[in-house]
Amino acid sequence: MIEIAWSQFTPGTALTGGILIGLAAASFLLLNGRIAGISGILGGLLTPTRSDILWRIAFLAGLIGAPAIWTLAGQLPPIEINAGYPALIAAGLLVGIGTRYGSGCTSGHGVCGLSRLSVRSLVATLSFMGMGFVTVYVIRHLIGA
Amino acid sequence: MKYHIASLFAGLIFGLGLIVSGMANPEKVLGFLDIAGAWDPSLAFVMGGAVVVGLIAFTIARRRTLSFLGFNIKLPTNTQIDKRLVVGSMMFGVGWGIAGFCPGPALVAFGAGEIKGVVFVASMVTGMILFEIAERIRASSGHNA
């Protein structure tokens, strides 16, 4: 039986944030004609061509600058990172290699891919979400960390 | 110039959406991935909200060849479901489950000055560089997998 953590459940802000993420992807698509896939935008900087360095940096600057802009209006919500450094480093490597090898992450395959009804992106999304569920199960309930 | 401003704008809205939604908080993400524990389904609403907006945007985009700013609309053409897609996405899922970070939220935590976010992003970019090196070695040895 699934037990819901009602005290943690925040459907209102989750939906609002989701709509904002959707609007960001929509504006990138309808203004610039591109898919807002974060891993692809970042990874593309590693093999740059002259014409695409600047827009990639501009998009990432907006993303990285978002917390600073937020603090102009109010306090930033907590960012709780409980993983230790060895785990963070291993996870970072897996996310970096995996998103490039699989050609996308939660934004490119998840948000954009599902929005354009791509079966390829659906398979990718099920693969990473499935392994996300399995990994948390193993860490929290089998190993008990 | 307008291309770069639109990129900056999309990145910023994306980042603000991640912050509002709770996705920028790894502990919240892990609460969603932990179905066997006290489950926090909030992030399903993030994905739902983003995809509903995205569906509308892609429906509009499919009817056009140029964006509203006059740029070519470049949609992914690859529909192949292969080992790279699935294995890469599964690797990403394991990393996501370990730390609770996917690429977008990690860049937001980096921007918020969280030292663990900086370490994760450094490791993620290292993973992306390792991927590029592996691709180059593979290309020069003439293998196609």
Side-chain angles (χ1 to χ4, degrees):
Chain A
M1 239 345 254
I2 288 178
E3 175 202 341
I4 305 283
W6 293 111
S7 63
Q8 312 288 317
F9 187 44
T10 52
T13 49
L15 192 62
T16 308
I19 289 170
L20 274 178
I21 292 167
L23 288 173
S27 57
F28 201 48
L29 174 70
L30 295 174
L31 296 177
N32 285 3
R34 282 192 161 270
I35 298 283
I38 312 289
S39 58
I41 292 172
L42 177 61
L45 271 184
L46 299 173
T47 51
T49 55
R50 256 181 70 192
S51 64
D52 78 352
I53 296 180
L54 209 55
W55 72 259
R56 289 177 192 274
I57 290 176
F59 184 98
L60 294 172
L63 186 61
I64 293 169
I69 300 293
W70 180 288
T71 54
L72 298 177
Q75 207 188 346
L76 201 64
I79 299 178
E80 305 158 86
I81 311 168
N82 293 330
Y85 285 99
L88 279 171
I89 291 169
L93 285 172
L94 284 164
V95 171
I97 297 170
T99 53
R100 295 303 284 151
Y101 198 54
S103 311
C105 60
T106 334
S107 51
H109 279 313
V111 174
C112 295
L114 297 186
S115 294
R116 59 186 187 87
L117 308 174
S118 157
V119 178
R120 176 175 148 87
S121 286
L122 175 65
V123 170
T125 303
L126 293 176
S127 303
F128 67 69
M129 290 207 60
M131 284 314 288
F133 287 125
V134 168
T135 303
V136 171
Y137 183 79
V138 169
I139 291 174
R140 291 198 170 176
H141 303 285
L142 293 186
I143 306 173
Chain B
M1 192 61 198
K2 56 187 177 181
Y3 195 87
H4 300 118
I5 292 170
S7 299
L8 179 72
F9 172 79
L12 177 62
I13 301 300
F14 206 110
L16 294 176
L18 288 172
I19 297 169
V20 179
S21 68
M23 283 280 317
N25 183 0
E27 198 52 35
K28 181 94 179 158
V29 173
L30 295 176
F32 171 71
L33 292 176
D34 187 12
I35 331 182
W39 188 49
D40 174 4
S42 305
L43 296 195
F45 288 71
V46 181
M47 192 59 108
V51 169
V52 166
V53 177
L55 276 169
I56 300 167
F58 279 95
T59 305
I60 298 169
R62 259 192 296 271
R63 294 182 186 153
R64 306 174 60 95
T65 49
L66 292 181
S67 75
F68 289 110
L69 293 181
F71 301 108
N72 287 320
I73 292 181
K74 297 184 190 104
L75 295 179
T77 50
N78 189 351
T79 56
Q80 211 179 352
I81 293 164
D82 52 14
K83 197 182 85 186
R84 291 172 67 94
L85 179 80
V86 175
V87 173
S89 297
M90 288 176 79
M91 283 179 72
F92 162 41
V94 173
W96 194 33
I98 292 173
F101 270 137
C102 53
L107 290 168
V108 169
F110 174 92
E114 294 285 342
I115 181 72
K116 284 183 164 180
V118 174
V119 169
F120 182 93
V121 167
S123 180
M124 177 173 78
V125 171
T126 304
M128 290 179 169
I129 293 170
L130 292 175
F131 166 82
E132 295 297 343
I133 294 170
E135 286 291 276
R136 240 163 251 196
I137 292 171
R138 218 168 55 107
S140 65
S141 64
H143 283 298
N144 278 311

